[in-house]
Amino acid sequence: MKRRELLKEAIAWIAALLSAGAAGLLLSVYPAGVRKKKLEFFPVLNAEDAPRRGVKNITVPYVAGGRKFETRAFLVADGGGLIALSSRCTHLGCSVSWDRNRNEFICPCHGGRYDIAGNRLAGPPPAPLERMPVKIDGDRIHVGIMV
């Protein structure tokens, strides 16, 4: 084998090994759970405890990857029924709170404001509060989370 051919073959093998290593590294950094998320519903409270009007703070306990977690959310009862809103501001993820006197969700970090339906009113948030699916199964209210 000539020197030039040997050098070409060695470079091809090195490039193939580097490509395989880079692909392996990317797959190990990108968690499998992120690739295969699906919507699951978790019980949050009895239907009789749901707000008839206004906003109720709730905690949504859920299981993802065999581990237990919980997140805060809001159940909102308006003329159109019951909706669930994430408590995370769409600007930087701070926790918003419901201001009963102003009838608004307020983000304490940068002054973001949302109406009772989660629509952006003012401040830096780029989008409305995330809506979470709600279903009533028998006498229990369930909220959906992508896990």
Side-chain angles (χ1 to χ4, degrees):
M1 188 178 281
K2 292 184 180 180
R3 186 179 189 169
R4 186 171 286 185
E5 291 173 13
L6 182 62
L7 188 57
K8 282 183 183 178
E9 197 169 313
I11 290 173
W13 276 103
I14 290 171
L17 289 173
L18 287 174
S19 296
L25 178 65
L26 286 174
L27 286 175
S28 69
V29 172
Y30 191 71
V34 172
R35 290 180 288 206
K36 298 178 182 175
K37 285 189 173 185
K38 64 179 182 173
L39 179 65
E40 289 191 26
F41 285 87
F42 298 92
V44 290
L45 63 134
N46 291 325
E48 64 191 32
D49 297 327
R52 302 291 176 238
R53 187 171 186 177
V55 177
K56 182 177 183 95
N57 286 307
I58 60 169
T59 300
V60 183
Y62 64 99
V63 177
R67 296 177 54 203
K68 293 181 181 182
F69 298 95
E70 60 183 35
T71 188
R72 280 189 45 229
F74 299 100
L75 273 181
V76 179
D78 59 4
L82 197 62
I83 63 171
L85 298 171
S86 169
S87 67
R88 294 279 171 205
C89 178
T90 57
H91 176 228
L92 292 176
C94 297
S95 290
V96 300
S97 59
W98 174 248
D99 186 325
R100 186 183 318 243
N101 297 325
R102 294 171 71 175
N103 256 3
E104 295 177 351
F105 292 102
I106 309 275
C107 178
C109 298
H110 301 103
R113 295 179 20 232
Y114 304 87
D115 68 13
I116 194 166
N119 299 311
R120 179 191 174 278
L121 293 174
L129 292 174
E130 178 187 348
R131 284 192 176 213
M132 303 166 76
V134 175
K135 77 175 183 180
I136 299 175
D137 186 17
D139 63 345
R140 298 286 291 169
I141 296 174
H142 295 74
V143 172
I145 296 181
M146 296 297 287
V147 294

